[in-house]
Amino acid sequence: MRVNATGFYNDYKDLQTAVSAFSPISGTYVSTRGNAPSAHTQGFELETSAEPTNNLSLAFNVTYLTTEYDDYSAPALGTVPAYNYTGKQFPGQPKWQYFASADCSIPIEGLGAIKFGGSVNWQTGYFSDQLNNPQYRIGSKHFVNAFIGFQTADKRCDFTLTARNIGNEFYYSTLTPIGTAIKAGPYAGTLLLQGAQNPPRTIFFKVGFKY
């Protein structure tokens, strides 16, 4: 069994990140670059792997990460509005991430080996914006993947059927507003949001040959 654990604490000066600026062309806020005078991250990583038998491999990894802007504020300047992100979390950074996998091989004498396995990824939620607004928070995610294959005895040919995101889970990876808030009606003041999403269930077959 192999275990690798690492703890870390990082200080950043003039960390480059994104801020919002009003565009007179589109009449909406767009993303531009800015520098956070100081920020820090801390956490740990734990990686474990084991081979209980010659034909079975197991792995489990966990990452814990906290982030914070220590000093990141400025008054309004041109089309960039005043902002204060001090004490906020970095966008796009989940606090916990987990990964577990199992791979198994069953030898077939004279023919080769059947191989199969699976993995699970899971992470906690995170914010899409520096202000950590609840409407821009991405919820926790999990994905399940699996494969089954056959390798010939001379190890020259491989046939593998793989399925990713077996549960066909749907998640956003980021959220940003579309234009300005609705001005009238029962939903006045509501911002419409858009964002990138993860790939849907994907199944593919691969053939490999070594010569």
Side-chain angles (χ1 to χ4, degrees), residues 25-143:
I25 297 175
S26 64
T28 61
Y29 283 96
V30 297
S31 180
T32 185
R33 305 304 297 177
N35 286 326
S38 64
H40 74 272
T41 63
Q42 60 183 342
F44 69 85
E45 296 178 338
L46 176 65
E47 298 180 352
T48 64
S49 62
E51 293 186 4
T53 70
N54 291 334
N55 301 320
L56 178 62
S57 298
L58 304 174
F60 176 74
N61 303 332
V62 59
T63 301
Y64 174 76
L65 173 69
T66 60
T67 64
E68 184 176 331
Y69 292 114
D70 299 317
D71 178 16
Y72 194 8
S73 61
L77 177 63
T79 60
V80 179
Y83 57 82
N84 184 4
Y85 305 138
T86 301
K88 303 296 184 180
Q89 302 173 26
F90 294 6
Q93 299 294 327
K95 182 173 288 188
W96 290 97
Q97 297 183 73
Y98 300 92
F99 171 80
S101 69
D103 296 333
C104 185
S105 176
I106 301 177
I108 301 177
E109 189 173 354
L111 295 177
I114 296 175
K115 298 182 177 182
F116 59 92
S119 64
V120 178
N121 299 73
W122 183 79
Q123 66 181 39
T124 55
Y126 57 84
F127 293 100
S128 288
D129 68 324
Q130 280 91 354
L131 283 173
N132 298 173
N133 288 306
Q135 62 266 39
Y136 299 118
R137 181 172 176 79
I138 305 295
S140 61
K141 309 176 184 181
H142 74 277
F143 298 103

Side-chain angles (χ1 to χ4, degrees), residues 119 143-147 163-169 200-202:
S119 64
F143 298 103
V144 179
N145 310 307
F147 75 91
R164 295 177 178 169
N165 188 13
I166 293 176
N168 201 29
E169 303 293 339
R201 181 191 298 118
T202 306

